[in-house]
Amino acid sequence: MIPAFSIGRTQELLYELKDLIHENQGKEAAGGLHWNDLPVILDSPLAGRYTRAYRALREHWDDEALARVREGRVPLAFEQLFTVGDHEAHQRMVAHLAGTGRPAVVIAASGMCTGGRIVNYLKAMLGDPRHNVLFVGYQAAGTPGRELQTQGQGGRVELDGEIHEIKAGVDTIGGYSAHADRNGLIDFVTGMTRWPREIRLVHGDDQAKQALATELGRRYQDSAQKGKILTPL
């Protein structure tokens, strides 16, 4: 189970999964199932629509992606990819995978497990050690995703007001974040010809936001620019 945001992150994952399947074709993935037969389930209507939009924009793909097309490895479109549409189909898929334990990769929103279809998968499968949760993005403090990530296997997490034992494996990989870091954000602001008169820092942990606000405030003081930095709750 991979919690992922529907736009950008999901398409990156599909791109990488297609490559993994190609590199490991003929090899066993899990439970006697070969990589060639491993289902990749995209359970998000929004992600499905945007993935189709990405496919339609092939003329704007980079050289690497176009080279794969010429080799017959079309990114974002492969035989094992199944897109789940309506809510009834989603419920059936959750019940099927939870009941059978069939090896599969499920990508569903939301990325921090605050809602969406991933929560139903988690509620159905966290109590089964055959399953795994893979985080590929930052989990903000106070979200179920952060709690699940912190507690890990053997811990507990609250989902929809109910406590669930975490018997599934929990892993995290980095490198997929599309956000600029602290220095990147400072460079973005100070690289402008006219700096903003007001900046509101609304995303991130409180300590990190305050440190960024302090540094931005110092940069404004040292320059001839005028502005104020706000960190609203």
Side-chain angles (χ1 to χ4, degrees):
M1 295 172 282
I2 306 178
F5 297 109
S6 297
I7 304 171
R9 186 69 47 82
T10 289
Q11 289 73 38
E12 284 184 277
L13 289 169
L14 292 176
Y15 189 91
E16 298 289 350
L17 282 167
K18 171 64 175 176
D19 215 30
L20 283 171
I21 291 168
H22 175 77
E23 291 174 1
N24 292 282
Q25 55 186 323
K27 298 179 182 178
E28 182 179 334
L33 197 68
H34 286 179
W35 277 89
N36 309 61
D37 302 314
L38 181 68
V40 177
I41 298 158
L42 180 56
D43 196 343
S44 166
L46 181 61
R49 289 198 297 273
Y50 271 87
T51 300
R52 290 192 294 273
Y54 270 67
R55 291 181 196 141
L57 294 170
R58 184 181 297 188
E59 62 185 280
H60 299 289
W61 291 3
D62 62 17
D63 292 340
E64 179 187 276
L66 292 174
R68 295 186 184 190
V69 172
R70 289 191 292 271
E71 294 170 3
R73 297 189 288 146
V74 182
L76 310 183
F78 44 99
E79 290 182 2
Q80 298 103 303
L81 178 59
F82 301 93
T83 302
V84 179
D86 60 43
H87 186 65
E88 288 185 3
H90 159 69
Q91 290 179 311
R92 289 195 300 270
M93 184 62 74
V94 172
H96 170 70
L97 294 179
T100 65
R102 176 192 171 100
V105 175
V106 175
I107 303 173
S110 70
M112 296 187 189
C113 308
T114 52
R117 294 185 175 184
I118 192 64
V119 174
N120 290 331
Y121 283 100
L122 294 173
K123 290 192 294 185
M125 300 185 196
L126 278 181
D128 188 337
R130 292 178 298 179
H131 302 299
N132 291 273
V133 182
L134 177 63
F135 288 106
V136 294
Y138 174 74
Q139 303 299 307
T143 64
R146 171 68 73 87
E147 188 68 14
L148 180 55
Q149 189 180 52
T150 303
Q151 291 286 324
Q153 194 172 35
R156 306 167 76 196
V157 64
E158 182 177 334
L159 298 168
D160 287 345
E162 298 179 354
I163 301 297
H164 294 264
E165 302 287 338
I166 307 171
K167 296 181 181 179
V170 180
D171 295 288
T172 302
I173 57 174
Y176 283 96
S177 178
H179 295 290
D181 60 10
R182 173 180 176 275
N183 291 336
L185 292 170
I186 291 171
D187 290 344
F188 176 68
V189 171
T190 57
M192 297 180 184
T193 303
R194 300 178 66 181
W195 296 8
R197 292 185 179 180
E198 180 176 296
I199 297 176
R200 294 174 177 253
L201 304 179
V202 298
H203 185 68
D205 293 338
D206 291 341
Q207 186 175 358
K209 285 193 295 185
Q210 190 55 57
L212 178 57
T214 299
E215 179 59 21
L216 282 171
R218 186 186 70 79
R219 297 294 183 102
Y220 270 85
Q221 278 188 333
D222 291 346
S223 72
Q225 305 275 357
K226 292 185 178 180
K228 55 183 177 179
I229 318 298
L230 304 175
T231 55
L233 298 177

